[in-house]
Amino acid sequence: MGRSVSFKMPPIEEEKHRALLIDELPPLKADVDSENGGTWGDVDIRLGKIQWAATTRSYSHFVLRRTALFFLPSFTHHRFSPARDRRGDHNSNGNSGGGSNGGGGGSGSGTKTLSPTAYLDGMRGVAAFFVFFCHYFYTSFFIAEGYNWLPPPPPDSDAPPPTTSTWTSLWRLPFVRLLYSGPSMVCVFFVISGYALSLRPLQLARKRNPEAFARTTSSLVFRRFFRLYLPPIISTLGVALLLRMGAYESTREWVKDRTYTKNIIEYHPVRLESLSAQLRHWGHEMWAFIHIWSWANHAGSTQYDVHLWTIPLEFRCSMVLFLVLIGTARLRENIRLAVVGLLAWFVLRNDRWEMLLFLAGMTIAELDLRRNAHGEHESSRGTNAASLPTLQLPLDGEKETSSRRRSTSDSFWTLVSVFALYLLSCPDAGPWNVPGWRYLGTLIPEWFSEKYRFWQVVGACLFVFCAARSRGWQRVFELPAIQYLGHLSYAIYLMHGPVTHVLGYPVQRWAFGITGTEGPAFKRAVALAAAINIPLVVWAADIFWRAVDIPSVRFAKWLESKLSA
């Protein structure tokens, strides 16, 4: 029989043993002729296994932490992650309708310098939020009618028109109704998009830099499709997959019940018999979605998200805008303004209100550049730095006069913006039947088909024009919370429909079960559900912004860089 041989562990290995909590070594066999090589090999194997386990455990903790952090709103990330993990938190998204967002971040603890046009990002975020309110509340309430609206009698009725109105809720008053005036906010979207897309090309055109102008405009044209269409393609694909998972089925019949849905019914998308059939149907819907040549109202709408009808309009108007920018780039500034003004009249006369709004945004951008609103000190052409006058410090009296002049101008444009907001408040249902709008209703041209949009279009153009000259409005739209909404604007636009259908309607059904539906209980249920559903939409939009929206912008830039000569 073999005899066991005792083995004394070397001091270094003994320390490893104690530090790593290695189990006791098994008794070694008798052959120790190779200077205990088997023992060292066994220790190394065990040490390797422990190191591998420690690495795996550390990596698992990292993945779990990053996953948990991903599902938290971005504005909380600075509390849970070190600075090196937040390198990309301040990246800006694209616009809700498609321009580029600049400005401050909503997700981080550090202070970030805002761009001169950051207020437009905030304005776009507020507009997207109010569009969400429109689509959320128009299922439960009639929101198109203005304060004291008098409905006209049916055409085949001999009954006299009513003399008293039942539409007397304070929520219907001008200015207040902007909180849920979706059509008005769409007009604001389009003006901002026209401004954002035009600003950089116009800067380069004014500097007479044709090479940079061509490069910038070419990049905008190439990336525009990806910027507008890639996020909604992904979001609607998610809807198709959720349909097959049955996420829509629990409230498919509930949404049709007039006990709860008092006004517009947003039907769930159709659920087909198999995943392959669902994906084929989704593919056909997306093919129709990117078809921009139909001029019918809401032609770009898809049943996977009925709110996306504005995206094809955005793309079509963007392409026309780029054509106008290229065609007028070499013109003198006054001539360019005159040509764009004639084009604006032409598209308005042809009932293309959406194109008018893009051209209005371009015009406002041009006027802002002329008055040096963005702080650019452009020297005149042919003037070198040596011939520029030296800087002269103003006297105290000149400072006071200049400050007083700016304050007066700011107050004036802020006052005019109030009138613009009144025009934006134009009710969607028959403005000529609403007190305060009867005369303005008579001024709407007969050839303008969507009558209610006329004054909303005018109000949107005037408000953006005034906000560009009102430091007070700019401070409002530069508030951190509003800048955060600005970053999420496109994601809110894309997420509010699916989230409302999948999560919002079950929450509403639960709220109605608690409060009931009779009288004031109906409003209490809507308010209770809104207190839950509004944060849910913002949370989902925040995730979509980081997971899809920002990567889509990066992908378009990467693809352009790879394909460029």
Side-chain angles (χ1 to χ4, degrees):
M1 296 182 58
R3 58 187 180 87
S4 61
V5 178
S6 62
F7 174 75
K8 183 173 179 57
M9 185 181 294
I12 294 178
E13 292 304 307
E14 186 175 0
E15 292 300 320
K16 288 183 181 180
H17 168 77
R18 292 172 180 172
L20 298 174
L21 302 179
I22 303 176
D23 295 335
E24 291 295 335
L25 295 175
L28 298 178
K29 292 188 177 180
D31 56 340
V32 290
D33 299 335
S34 60
E35 298 181 349
N36 300 324
T39 301
W40 287 106
D42 191 37
V43 170
D44 288 340
I45 291 173
R46 289 171 176 270
L47 181 61
K49 290 181 178 180
I50 292 172
Q51 290 175 336
W52 179 86
T55 302
T56 303
R57 185 163 52 250
S58 175
Y59 183 75
S60 300
H61 290 166
F62 173 79
V63 171
L64 289 174
R65 185 175 66 85
R66 295 293 293 182
T67 302
L69 194 65
F70 176 78
F71 285 103
L72 289 175
S74 59
F75 57 80
T76 66
H77 285 188
H78 67 281
R79 298 179 180 272
F80 302 101
S81 61
R84 65 177 178 272
D85 290 341
R86 292 184 276 114
R87 289 189 294 266
D89 277 3
H90 292 295
N91 291 330
S92 63
N93 71 325
N95 65 330
S96 83
S100 61
N101 262 359
S107 63
S109 59
T111 302
K112 190 175 182 183
T113 303
L114 297 177
S115 72
T117 57
Y119 71 94
L120 292 175
D121 300 328
M123 190 187 303
R124 181 162 42 210
V126 171
F129 209 50
F130 290 172
V131 167
F132 160 45
F133 284 177
C134 170
H135 295 153
Y136 184 81
F137 291 110
Y138 74 178
T139 59
S140 302
F141 304 107
F142 292 86
I143 65 173
E145 296 76 15
Y147 185 80
N148 266 335
W149 178 64
L150 293 174
D156 55 350
S157 173
D158 295 331
T163 57
T164 58
S165 175
T166 59
W167 307 89
T168 55
S169 169
L170 296 180
W171 292 102
R172 302 183 182 278
L173 287 170
F175 308 110
V176 179
R177 64 177 294 107
L178 286 175
L179 292 171
Y180 55 85
S181 184
S184 298
M185 297 302 107
V186 169
C187 294
V188 174
F189 282 159
F190 286 1
V191 178
I192 295 174
S193 291
Y195 189 112
L197 294 173
S198 303
L199 184 60
R200 184 57 181 163
L202 286 174
Q203 288 173 329
L204 297 173
R206 290 168 59 85
K207 292 177 180 178
R208 295 294 186 261
N209 190 338
E211 182 179 354
F213 175 87
R215 184 170 56 251
T216 298
T217 308
S218 172
S219 176
L220 288 170
V221 172
F222 178 84
R223 291 185 287 117
R224 192 58 173 164
F225 176 86
F226 300 99
R227 178 68 196 100
L228 286 179
Y229 278 107
L230 193 55
I233 287 174
I234 295 174
S235 69
T236 53
L237 176 60
V239 171
L241 297 176
L242 287 171
L243 275 170
R244 286 303 310 152
M245 294 167 60
Y248 285 75
E249 300 312 302
S250 65
T251 56
R252 185 173 292 277
E253 296 302 321
W254 181 86
V255 297
K256 306 174 187 177
D257 190 337
R258 284 302 184 182
T259 304
Y260 310 103
T261 307
K262 302 289 188 181
N263 188 19
I264 294 176
I265 298 177
E266 279 198 6
Y267 296 98
H268 288 335
V270 61
R271 184 173 188 257
L272 300 181
E273 65 278 1
S274 66
L275 177 61
S276 59
Q278 194 78 59
L279 293 179
R280 282 195 302 270
H281 182 264
W282 168 80
H284 288 302
E285 288 280 307
M286 289 301 99
W287 176 253
F289 178 53
I290 65 175
H291 175 70
I292 65 171
W293 310 114
S294 174
W295 297 93
N297 286 338
H298 303 93
S301 181
T302 168
Q303 67 166 283
Y304 288 91
D305 192 344
V306 296
H307 309 135
L308 302 186
W309 62 272
T310 62
I311 305 302
L313 265 66
E314 279 264 2
F315 185 75
R316 183 168 59 207
C317 291
S318 300
M319 295 300 109
V320 175
L321 181 70
F322 295 145
L323 183 62
V324 173
L325 285 167
I326 294 171
T328 60
R330 299 181 63 236
L331 301 180
R332 294 193 298 271
E333 295 167 13
N334 290 336
I335 301 299
R336 179 164 55 238
L337 279 174
V339 169
V340 174
L342 288 174
L343 287 173
W345 174 85
F346 176 76
V347 297
L348 174 63
R349 188 60 184 82
N350 283 275
D351 207 9
R352 300 278 26 120
W353 57 271
E354 68 278 14
M355 193 64 242
L356 170 68
L357 294 168
F358 271 73
L359 292 177
M362 175 184 173
T363 302
I364 297 171
E366 177 84 67
L367 294 174
D368 281 358
L369 290 174
R370 291 187 66 166
R371 65 188 183 89
N372 199 25
H374 303 136
E376 291 184 358
H377 302 285
E378 300 178 12
S379 60
S380 58
R381 284 180 293 126
T383 304
N384 55 39
S387 64
L388 292 176
T390 58
L391 178 64
Q392 300 292 330
L393 297 177
L395 301 176
D396 291 342
E398 293 175 346
K399 285 183 181 180
E400 294 177 0
T401 302
S402 176
S403 177
R404 191 181 306 112
R405 188 181 300 115
R406 285 195 300 269
S407 177
T408 301
S409 174
D410 185 275
S411 300
F412 172 76
W413 290 115
T414 302
L415 184 62
V416 176
S417 72
V418 176
F419 176 65
L421 291 175
Y422 180 82
L423 297 180
L424 272 172
S425 303
C426 180
D428 302 333
W432 42 84
N433 295 322
V434 179
W437 286 98
R438 291 193 178 99
Y439 174 71
L440 290 174
T442 63
L443 300 180
I444 300 175
E446 289 295 327
W447 42 263
F448 197 86
S449 58
E450 297 181 78
K451 306 294 185 186
Y452 68 95
R453 289 195 191 274
F454 183 82
W455 290 116
Q456 295 175 358
V457 166
V458 176
C461 298
L462 184 58
F463 181 74
V464 176
F465 180 87
C466 293
R469 289 155 176 77
S470 169
R471 189 67 193 117
W473 274 118
Q474 291 176 16
R475 290 191 186 99
V476 171
F477 292 123
E478 289 171 357
L479 292 173
I482 295 181
Q483 284 289 297
Y484 173 67
L485 291 179
H487 289 309
L488 302 189
S489 58
Y490 200 26
I492 289 174
Y493 191 69
L494 297 178
M495 284 289 100
H496 75 272
V499 172
T500 299
H501 279 255
V502 174
L503 300 176
Y505 289 155
V507 170
Q508 287 185 24
R509 183 177 56 186
W510 165 81
F512 282 120
I514 292 178
T515 66
T517 59
E518 298 300 326
F522 184 89
K523 296 180 181 179
R524 286 197 297 269
V526 173
L528 175 61
I532 299 173
N533 288 333
I534 291 173
L536 278 176
V537 168
V538 175
W539 171 69
D542 191 299
I543 294 175
F544 189 85
W545 169 55
R546 288 178 282 119
V548 177
D549 200 20
I550 292 176
S552 296
V553 175
R554 292 173 178 166
F555 170 77
K557 291 181 179 179
W558 172 84
L559 183 63
E560 181 189 21
S561 67
K562 293 300 181 182
L563 299 180
S564 298

